[in-house]
Amino acid sequence: MRTSERMDGMTLSFRLVTTEQDIKAVARLAAEIWREHYINIISAEQIEYMLDKFQSAPAIADQIRHQGYAYYLMQVNGSDAGYLAVKPEESKLFLSKFYLLRSYRGRGYGSRAIRFLEELCRERGLKAIWLTVNRHNTSSIAVYEHTGFRTVRTQVADIGGGYVMDDYVMEKEVSPA
């Protein structure tokens, strides 16, 4: 599945991750984005632990093949700009991962990605999108709030290795087509 549109003279596309090459591209993006973005939020050790456990090529492949996740590469003019990972759960879409390279942030691509997810929800008859976000990730929280998400609760999840995820759970209702 590929969805494309023009934005400010650029072509933004969302391409379903299906090949080993795609999976490796997502893992490379994850490593770059996480090491740059999260270093002021969590420790370098936790970043490496989470990359290995959740964002390595084998972890991503397992999520796609055995856990019901769909990954999408976001591309701008054919260059990888970020990625999304989603999983339908009952009447909602779980947005598990949503990451953009620094050079693509603040240019409207995040808002467009949320619209892409809303379209997925409508196609699948889902009523909302929900996600978890680190409570100290203020820039991402601001993007989610700007696009209509609201905080519905907090949660602390033990992820092993002596680490926890200290998150807000946010949700956005999706109106039918």
Side-chain angles (χ1 to χ4, degrees), residues 1 15 24 35 38 47 55 67 70 75-76 78 87 97 106-107 109 115 122-123 130-131 148 151 162 166 171:
M1 172 186 185
R15 184 167 55 83
K24 288 177 183 175
R35 290 180 181 127
Y38 284 100
I47 291 168
Q55 300 286 280
Q67 298 178 41
Q75 297 179 313
V76 176
K87 180 180 181 182
K97 294 160 188 75
R107 299 170 63 182
Y109 299 124
R115 288 195 303 276
R122 287 184 192 102
E123 289 171 8
W130 74 277
L131 58 88
T151 301
D166 184 10
E171 189 171 297

Side-chain angles (χ1 to χ4, degrees), residues 82-97:
Y83 63 100
L84 306 164
V86 297
K87 180 180 181 182
E89 294 183 345
E90 298 178 19
S91 64
K92 299 177 184 178
L93 185 69
F94 173 46
L95 175 54
S96 174
K97 294 160 188 75

